[in-house]
Amino acid sequence: MTDAETQVVELDEKFFDDPDALYRTLRREAPVVRVNTPMGLQAWVVTRYEDARPALNDPRLSKDGARFGEILERRSVAPERRMQFADSLAGHMLNTDPPDHTRLRKLVNRAFTVRAIARMRPRIEQIAHGLADRMAAKAAREGTVDLLDEFAYPLPMTVICELLGVPEGERDDFRGWTTTLLSAAPPEERGGAAAAMAEFLARLVADKGANPGEDMLSAIVRASEDGDTLSAREATSMAFLLLVAGHETTVNLIGNGTLALLRHPDQLALLRADPDLVPNAVEEFLRFDGPINLATFRYTTEPVEIGGATVPEGEVVLISLVSANRDSERYGDPARLDVTRDASGHVAFGYGVHHCLGAPLARLEGEIAFRTLLGRFPGLTLAGDPETIGWRQSTLIHGLTRLPVRL
């Protein structure tokens, strides 16, 4: 390793398959370092817990999407690459700073309180058991099933679509668009996915305005808080954020957590012996192999010293949640899965003003998912060589491409 302020690290295919292999070195030798992302953007990556947690809530690291687009233009990022960061889907609260962020978050906050989410438990349990029935029937016919396709994806997708009032027949294309949009696919492919998703969501928001129902998206479209309302663009962007974030995090919590358990049979045995450990185990899954790798983009509004490096003004900063949660200075023996560990303080859902709004929902879905899998499938095992299981080529999402299992 050379000096962090001159070195540039390439995030290549090996990085996606095992990001912590690189992060272990960076945490030790260059905890804040410049990288080249597969999308053609140079950024600074923060890897240590003691730097990452405060950086997530540092007002000097802005998330203002409008100014971010200007920074990309000044740095001569090609228009076809810029559009993935600043298109019609980007005007949501994750791409704003206070006070705009405060205004947008307040309009949807009530739907995601712990009490509101707790009322959803019976319906989520019903969905989970229905999917388990369907998965068991398919396994009886075919021998193996892909747990992502049959359970981890449809569970949170069904929940968030019902919550937002997305008609059942309109959900089929959404997974493909999301996977492409959040991947390292060529710009034209991501652009096509973004355009298709924007058209779908704009149409859905317009329909909710004309024909409101009892769902959350109808409430968002007609929301009023202290006389404030969302514009059509803001409502479309908010629908995008809630739909994508509302299923992606939980899909990969379930997938990554199941893989971790199947690779650590001693921990699986502990959970089978005491299912009441499941809520604590969910926190450990989030810490051990969380669903978000590098948090969404921030940029410096002034020179900022992080981890001994000075990041100049106008630089893009990526904070690694996966790396922070594997920092041995914060968690003892961090590469060991321990479902009895106190994993509190992990940053899998971020930290500060941008802490994940849907964290209570993801936790509840995760608990129900693992209780269901443990209760229904005591013989659950991996099908095939676990080392051949592939990971998604995404700097944002840390998740599997498939998870073949025998029940």
Side-chain angles (χ1 to χ4, degrees):
M1 286 288 180
T2 57
D3 184 80
E5 295 186 22
T6 58
Q7 178 193 8
V8 180
V9 174
E10 297 289 334
L11 300 185
D12 55 16
E13 201 166 306
K14 280 198 220 172
F15 166 75
F16 294 117
D17 290 337
D18 185 10
D20 198 52
L22 173 63
Y23 290 146
R24 281 194 300 272
T25 302
L26 294 181
R27 284 194 300 268
R28 184 175 64 250
E29 299 181 15
V32 179
V33 68
R34 287 186 299 167
V35 300
N36 282 328
T37 74
M39 294 179 290
L41 183 68
Q42 191 169 103
W44 293 76
V45 164
V46 180
T47 56
R48 285 183 185 166
Y49 183 93
E50 68 176 359
D51 302 319
R53 197 166 190 257
L56 287 165
N57 201 36
D58 191 328
R60 298 171 299 171
L61 301 181
S62 174
K63 294 182 66 63
D64 183 338
R67 286 195 57 203
F68 186 50
E70 295 170 9
I71 287 173
L72 296 179
E73 187 172 5
R74 284 204 308 269
R75 294 173 64 172
S76 301
V77 176
E80 65 271 16
R81 291 191 178 275
R82 289 206 305 270
M83 60 75 52
Q84 66 194 286
F85 305 110
D87 60 18
S88 60
L89 301 177
H92 51 71
M93 59 191 175
L94 201 56
N95 289 340
T96 57
D97 297 325
D100 286 339
H101 171 268
T102 309
R103 175 181 71 88
L104 292 170
R105 185 160 177 138
K106 190 162 62 171
L107 288 169
V108 295
N109 207 32
R110 282 190 219 142
F112 287 96
T113 63
V114 172
R115 182 177 296 178
I117 294 304
R119 290 196 293 267
M120 299 173 64
R121 179 182 286 271
R123 176 57 183 148
I124 299 172
E125 289 175 338
Q126 182 183 35
I127 294 167
H129 285 289
L131 291 170
D133 290 341
R134 192 175 75 180
M135 189 162 62
K138 185 167 185 176
R141 294 192 308 270
E142 302 180 12
T144 65
V145 293
D146 185 337
L147 191 125
L148 291 187
D149 285 346
E150 303 300 326
F151 189 82
Y153 173 75
L155 173 60
M157 190 62 177
T158 302
V159 171
I160 196 64
C161 283
E162 287 188 0
L163 191 61
L164 291 176
V166 180
E168 193 166 349
E170 302 274 4
R171 303 171 190 174
D172 293 345
D173 294 327
F174 208 83
R175 182 180 185 183
W177 293 335
T178 303
T179 300
T180 300
L181 199 59
L182 301 180
S183 74
E188 59 273 15
E189 289 184 29
R190 289 197 303 277
M197 192 180 289
E199 182 183 354
F200 162 71
L201 291 173
R203 190 173 69 247
L204 183 64
V205 165
D207 181 66
K208 296 297 180 184
N211 306 289
E214 297 303 313
D215 55 89
M216 189 201 299
L217 188 53
S218 293
I220 288 171
V221 171
R222 67 172 182 264
S224 177
E225 185 80 21
D226 299 327
D228 196 8
T229 58
L230 293 175
S231 68
R233 180 179 179 274
E234 287 173 333
T236 300
S237 294
M238 187 71 80
F240 165 70
L241 175 64
L242 295 176
L243 273 169
V244 173
H247 78 276
E248 275 288 355
T249 302
T250 311
V251 170
N252 299 302
L253 162 59
I254 297 169
N256 298 0
T258 301
L259 178 63
L261 278 180
L262 295 178
R263 284 177 165 172
H264 297 80
D266 60 322
Q267 299 301 298
L268 179 56
L270 276 176
L271 285 187
R272 291 202 189 288
D274 185 4
D276 287 341
L277 282 173
V278 166
N280 194 77
V282 166
E283 300 305 314
E284 173 67 348
F285 299 147
L286 288 162
R287 182 209 66 83
F288 178 77
D289 226 357
I292 302 297
N293 185 353
L294 294 162
T296 50
F297 296 96
R298 290 164 166 78
Y299 62 88
T300 51
T301 58
E302 61 183 76
V304 180
E305 185 172 328
I306 311 174
T310 300
V311 182
E313 180 182 353
E315 292 286 310
V316 178
V317 176
L318 296 170
I319 301 164
S320 177
L321 309 185
V322 164
S323 180
N325 287 334
R326 287 282 190 102
D327 191 337
S328 61
E329 295 297 312
R330 177 63 180 83
Y331 298 102
D333 200 3
R336 178 174 64 89
L337 181 73
D338 178 2
V339 297
T340 67
R341 179 198 302 270
D342 177 6
S344 61
H346 70 72
V347 291
F349 290 121
Y351 175 71
V353 296
H354 288 287
H355 182 268
C356 178
L357 180 73
L361 178 58
R363 286 185 163 107
L364 179 61
E365 290 173 330
E367 179 199 335
I368 290 170
F370 286 106
R371 285 187 185 276
T372 302
L373 291 172
L374 290 166
R376 293 288 299 274
F377 306 117
L380 185 69
T381 57
L382 283 172
D385 182 358
E387 300 308 317
T388 65
I389 292 173
W391 295 84
R392 287 169 61 175
Q393 305 288 293
S394 170
T395 54
L396 175 65
I397 299 298
H398 179 56
L400 300 161
T401 57
R402 51 193 288 274
L403 184 54
V405 297
R406 299 184 189 280
L407 304 186

